Each structure stands twice: as structure tokens, then as C-alpha cells.
Amino acid sequence: KKNGGRMIKRCQYGLKRFSTAEATVDTGHPITMREKTLTMATLNPQVKAVEYAVRGPIVIKAGDIERGLQEGVKQPFTEVIKANIGDAHAMGQQPITFVRQVVALCCFPELMDSPAFPDDAKQRAQRILQDCGGHSLGSYSASQGVECVRRDIADYIAQRDQGVPADWNNIYLTTGASDGIMSILKLLVSGQGRSRTGVMIPIPQYPLYSAAISELEAVHINYYLDEANCWALDIEELQRAYMTAKHHCQPRVLCIINPGNPTGQVQSKKCIEEVLHFAYEENLFVMADEVYQDNVYSPDSQFHSFKKVLYEMGPEYFSNVELASFHSTSKGYTGECGFRGGYMEVLNMDPQVKAQLVKLLSVRLCPPVSGQAAMDVIVNPPQRHEPSYAQFTKEKRAVLDALAHKARLTEEILNSVPGMTCNPVQGAMYAFPQIFIPPRAIQEAQSLSMAPDMLYCLKLLEETGICVVPGSGFGQREGTYHFRMTILPNPEKLKVLLEKLKEFHLRFLEEYSQQEPQTNRNAQDQHSEMSKKPD
């Protein structure tokens, strides 16, 4: 009995010692809050260095305003129009029927018995499931991806590039293109001090690149696209950036986005040849972000893959230049962002390094298998003799025609606004106009420790409900200001957006140009001069 009493006391002590917060409150004991292990002081500094403007402060503010509207808060507008991100379905684009049919059949094979699904969709789903463990989309795939999907991608690339050979062993399925880009950069970053890897990125650029470079502690090497020449890539600018960077790092990587994000340009074949020759001469690893390869609208422009151009330059180039090319389900005509499907093709990688890449990919097990299935449909669409061909072709054409129309509409309206100029939106899904910001607005922004185009975009959001991304989040030449907007809203909503934007810009110029008649007599002329000013 005595021993039993001791045991009870010990148990009570243990319960007190390890009691929950609720139990402590119930017994009236005060809670002592310890210092947290993870604080801003102990946080990985590389995480703090990461910035991603596409989902930055403006977008967070837009979310707050949107929730306020739902709760009845009065605003001078009835809705927030999110033109900040290339999310086609969120903007109202309808899914491509055939893509959804095949993925649905893969997810729920019992639908194979339904007459509502065409035979060509069933055949593709059966083939994908045949290569999945347990014939289920819920199983892990190989780290490189489902084999039949990789083979289909290789066939697609060979067809796209008019017979240039493609080896399925060089194909890796990824969680969107971003996952592949990050994986390749991880392989490339090494060294310390002046031998630290430098990564050449276009300015303006998609913020994934600057964020990844910061996270990996690599060195940013900025090369500027030529705004006065429709955002063309100038080889002399590449050479300038490279030679300047060699003094403080080891340039090893050259990143290209074609068609461009946020700039919407489509690089010419001659330009790509010059870039590849430069990479060959300087022994640079080329990363070609080609996720917008189906999004070309200008009749004078054509998509040329870096791989095809490299092949046509001859065996000396094709056998030596290390090249990783990226594609995704998120863009093009499907806009299937949520599936997180994508792939990369890697050429001329050292076999031992290739084994290390597979090891690195195996750590994350595999990309979403549903996304792999969606990627397969994009590279293996219905053929002329198949029952889904007519509907698929009609839907694809409708999406791309609508985007081409909206690209022209956006360029036309933005260029009609005093103090604003916009290059032709040749491809991709964005416009990146340059805006004139009066000196008084620049001074106000500086007093708020804010970039001038951030002030502009914040006021645009607060007065109109339109959410766009400041150009400073993508990089721009000193003394110029821009914003990025998508062309994805439906034509009616896009017209409303552009008219509201035009009205806002004129009000903004008037408000900040008062008492400065001499300085701002002709804002548009000054703006044009600014565009031509060299860095």
C-alpha cells in the first residue's frame, strides 16, 4: 500500500510535469513562455534574401481588400481584378476537354465503362495506367517520371523540332518547370569567393530565377534586354555582363526565357544562334525556359527551340553545349497550373553528374503523377484520325486566338495612354509597359521607403481594385518604371481593366504633376526620351 501511494504520487508529478497548456490553465498555474528556437534572428538568411514579387506585398494587400469586400467593406469598386499572375483558369479560361477526360479516367478507371468518354481518351489513360505501379495513379512513379510519358515527350520534341533526335533517357518529369529549374541550379552552384558560381539572368526576369539564386547563395549576373528593340537580347550586352562579373565570380550558367516573361518578346533564330555561340565560346551551361512555346501571337514571330537551333549549328556545337530546356502544363493553351506538371530535357550532361541529378530528384520521390498524365496529353494530343481531334483542335484554336486578340487589344490601349508605352506582346501572357512617374510621386515613394512603381501599383489597387506587379519586382534599368499585367481576363473584363487603368493613370499624372508645369509640360515626350536613354 505504501509503495502504491508512492507510485500514485510519481504519476501525479509526471502528469503535472508534462501536462498540456489547457490543463495548466485549469489548475491556475501561470504559463512561462520560452524563447522560440526559430526567430527572425535564427532564420536561414538565404530565406530572408528570397523575394517573389508575383505573390508579394501588392498581392497580399489585394487579398485583404477582397476579404473586406466579401464582409461588406465599402470600396470605390465592386471586385478585385487579379492581373498579377499567369493563372489562366482563375481568370475564367475553360479546361481543354480531352486533357480533363484522360486525367479523370486515370484517376477513376471505373469511368472506362462510361460511353461519355471517347475511345482515344480511354486508350491513353489505359496506356498511362499500365506503366503505373499497381495500375494506379496513386502510386509513386520512378523519380525521372513514368516511362511511357517520357517516351511520348521525346517523340513530341522530335516532331516539334522537325526530326532532330530526342532520347527519352534525357527527359525528366518535374513538378512544374520551376522544380526542374531549381534542380539544375542546385547542381551548378559551387565554389567560394571569386570561384562562386555566377548565374546570368535577363533583366527584366521572372522572379523565380532571382529567388533561386538568392536561396542557393549564387551570384546574380544581370544582363539587360533591349526595350527600345522590342526586348531583344543583345549579344554585346551579354558580353559586357559576363566580363564585368568575371572580376568577382565564376560565370557558369546562362538563363534565357523565350518567349519572354514578363516582356512578351519572341527571340529570333539569329539571336538564339548568337547566344548559343557565346555559350559555346565561354563554356556556359544554358538553361532555356520555353514554357510559353505555344504562346506566339505576332504573325512576324516564330518559336525556335534552343535545341533545334543548336542542332542546326552543327555537330561541334550540338555535341558540346550543355543545355537544359523546360516546359510545363501551366501555360500554353491548357493553363493547367494546379496539376504542377512539367518536364526538362537535358543534353550533354556528364554521365557521372547525370547520376547525381537522378539522386537529387529521388529525394523528392517523384512529381505528381496526375500532373505527369496531364503533361502526356499535351505532348500526345488527338490525331486527325481520332474521334476527339475536331473538338480538341477547336478548343485549342479558340484559346490561342483569344489570347492573340487580347495581346493586340492590350498593346493598342496601353499605347494610347499619355505617359505610357508598351512593346508588342509577341508571345507569352503578359504586357510590361513602361510608365512615366512624375518627380513628386518619386519623392513620395522615397519618403515611404518604397519603389516608385510600387507606390503606383498600390494606389492603382486601392483606387480601382486592379492588381498588377511593379516592374521593380522583375528588375529594370535605373530611372525607368514598369508594371506587369496578364492578358488572361476575358475580353470584356480586360477592356474594363484597361479603361480603368487608363483613367487612373491620367488622374495619377494630374495629381502628381500639379505645380510642376515646367517639369511636366509634356510627360509623354519625357517618357519617350527616358526609353531611349542608355544605362
Side-chain angles (χ1 to χ4, degrees):
K1 192 173 181 182
K2 203 172 197 180
N3 289 340
R6 283 181 190 152
M7 287 294 292
I8 290 168
K9 282 182 181 177
R10 283 177 187 163
C11 287
Q12 287 172 339
Y13 171 75
L15 284 170
K16 281 182 183 178
R17 188 178 172 200
F18 298 108
S19 61
T20 63
E22 290 81 4
T24 306
V25 170
D26 289 344
T27 56
H29 292 292
I31 299 169
T32 303
M33 297 302 292
R34 296 191 310 170
E35 185 180 340
K36 293 187 183 299
T37 301
L38 182 60
T39 66
M40 287 304 290
T42 60
L43 179 69
N44 182 336
Q46 273 56 63
V47 173
K48 283 192 270 189
V50 168
E51 293 184 8
Y52 188 65
V54 173
R55 296 198 176 197
I58 292 279
V59 184
I60 294 168
K61 176 79 171 175
D64 292 340
I65 292 173
E66 198 166 37
R67 281 187 291 275
L69 284 170
Q70 291 166 359
E71 293 165 6
V73 177
K74 295 296 180 188
Q75 295 284 1
F77 46 85
T78 57
E79 66 171 334
V80 172
I81 303 177
K82 291 181 178 175
N84 62 294
I85 195 165
D87 189 351
H89 291 196
M91 288 285 99
Q93 181 178 310
Q94 294 303 300
I96 299 293
T97 303
F98 191 71
V99 174
R100 289 299 180 91
Q101 286 174 331
V102 174
V103 175
L105 288 162
C106 287
C107 290
F108 193 60
E110 285 82 351
L111 293 172
M112 297 284 187
D113 298 327
S114 170
F117 289 79
D119 288 342
D120 47 355
K122 291 177 182 178
Q123 288 160 7
R124 280 167 176 75
Q126 285 167 341
R127 181 166 172 269
I128 292 167
L129 290 174
Q130 200 69 34
D131 263 18
C132 293
H135 298 169
S136 171
L137 214 64
S139 61
Y140 290 128
S141 75
S143 298
Q144 300 98 311
V146 175
E147 182 176 317
C148 71
V149 179
R150 295 168 70 201
R151 289 182 180 275
D152 285 346
I153 291 168
D155 290 343
Y156 159 80
I157 292 170
Q159 184 179 18
R160 179 200 68 189
D161 293 342
Q162 299 172 315
V164 177
D167 183 350
W168 70 275
N169 288 295
N170 293 331
I171 307 295
Y172 302 84
L173 274 296
T174 57
T175 308
S178 306
D179 172 46
I181 290 164
M182 194 69 182
S183 297
I184 295 296
L185 283 173
K186 282 180 181 177
L187 296 180
L188 285 157
V189 176
S190 65
Q192 296 297 327
R194 290 185 63 178
S195 66
R196 189 66 172 168
T197 295
V199 182
M200 302 184 71
I201 58 173
I203 298 296
Q205 51 97 30
Y206 178 50
L208 162 69
Y209 291 93
S210 54
I213 293 165
S214 294
E215 185 179 341
L216 296 171
E217 288 188 273
V219 180
H220 298 248
I221 305 173
N222 297 337
Y223 65 88
Y224 290 87
L225 301 176
D226 184 0
E227 183 171 11
N229 192 22
C230 204
W231 299 112
L233 200 165
D234 178 37
I235 200 69
E236 289 183 6
E237 169 61 14
L238 271 186
Q239 291 165 341
R240 179 207 62 79
Y242 177 84
M243 295 308 294
T244 303
K246 283 194 77 171
H247 296 299
H248 61 269
C249 70
Q250 179 57 57
R252 289 194 179 94
V253 193
L254 174 58
C255 300
I256 319 283
I257 308 172
N258 182 50
N261 175 11
T263 44
Q265 87 286 6
V266 180
Q267 301 294 1
S268 68
K269 183 178 179 182
K270 181 178 181 295
C271 172
I272 295 171
E273 286 173 346
E274 290 177 346
V275 169
L276 288 169
H277 177 72
F278 172 76
Y280 172 81
E281 289 291 318
E282 304 299 349
N283 200 25
L284 295 171
F285 190 109
V286 179
M287 297 177 64
D289 183 338
E290 299 177 333
V291 301
Y292 297 100
Q293 58 190 260
D294 287 311
N295 300 105
V296 178
Y297 317 123
S298 169
D300 301 323
S301 301
Q302 182 183 347
F303 171 73
H304 301 277
S305 78
F306 268 69
K307 181 189 176 184
K308 182 172 185 283
V309 175
L310 186 65
Y311 180 82
E312 291 171 347
M313 290 173 72
E316 179 67 22
Y317 288 91
F318 192 65
S319 302
N320 283 292
V321 174
E322 296 157 275
L323 170 68
S325 306
F326 305 91
H327 197 15
S328 167
T329 62
S330 302
K331 309 305 175 186
Y333 55 89
T334 56
E336 293 283 9
C337 302
F339 278 125
R340 305 309 299 131
Y343 74 78
M344 59 182 175
E345 182 185 23
V346 183
L347 299 181
N348 297 323
M349 181 174 277
D350 179 285
Q352 289 181 300
V353 175
K354 209 171 182 180
Q356 294 295 311
L357 172 60
V358 174
K359 179 185 75 174
L360 183 65
L361 296 176
S362 70
V363 173
R364 53 90 159 119
L365 297 176
C366 70
V369 184
S370 55
Q372 296 186 49
M375 191 76 249
D376 187 74
V377 184
I378 292 169
V379 299
N380 185 23
Q383 302 301 304
R384 285 185 180 277
H385 64 278
E386 293 183 304
S388 299
Y389 178 80
Q391 183 181 4
F392 173 84
T393 305
K394 181 182 177 184
E395 290 176 358
K396 175 182 175 180
R397 191 71 265 150
V399 170
L400 293 175
D401 285 350
L403 286 169
H405 167 68
K406 290 186 287 189
R408 291 190 296 271
L409 177 71
T410 302
E411 177 198 341
E412 182 182 314
I413 293 179
L414 292 179
N415 279 323
S416 73
V417 183
M420 193 178 290
T421 56
C422 183
N423 271 316
V425 182
Q426 297 173 333
M429 297 176 171
Y430 315 99
F432 196 67
Q434 184 177 157
I435 50 176
F436 173 75
I437 297 184
R440 281 182 61 213
I442 294 171
Q443 290 166 7
E444 181 177 323
Q446 289 168 345
S447 72
L448 297 168
S449 300
M450 187 183 292
D453 48 16
M454 172 68 85
L455 175 70
Y456 180 94
C457 293
L458 191 60
K459 284 186 170 288
L460 174 66
L461 173 64
E462 291 171 343
E463 293 183 26
T464 68
I466 296 170
C467 179
V468 297
V469 189
S472 49
F474 301 89
Q476 55 199 351
R477 283 193 181 274
E478 188 71 29
T480 68
Y481 306 105
H482 303 77
F483 64 81
R484 188 192 80 163
M485 61 166 283
T486 71
I487 60 169
L488 291 173
N490 67 56
E492 292 72 29
K493 184 169 282 190
L494 184 63
K495 280 181 186 173
V496 170
L497 184 159
L498 291 167
E499 287 302 327
K500 288 173 77 173
L501 175 60
K502 181 176 182 177
E503 291 166 7
F504 165 81
H505 186 77
L506 294 174
R507 285 199 310 272
F508 184 87
L509 288 182
E510 185 178 0
E511 177 186 350
Y512 285 100
S513 299
Q514 288 172 0
Q515 300 173 356
E516 293 180 341
Q518 206 61 33
T519 307
N520 294 285
R521 183 172 295 160
N522 194 329
Q524 183 62 57
D525 285 350
Q526 286 190 33
H527 171 73
S528 299
E529 286 301 311
M530 191 193 304
S531 307
K532 299 169 189 171
K533 191 185 297 180
D535 190 44

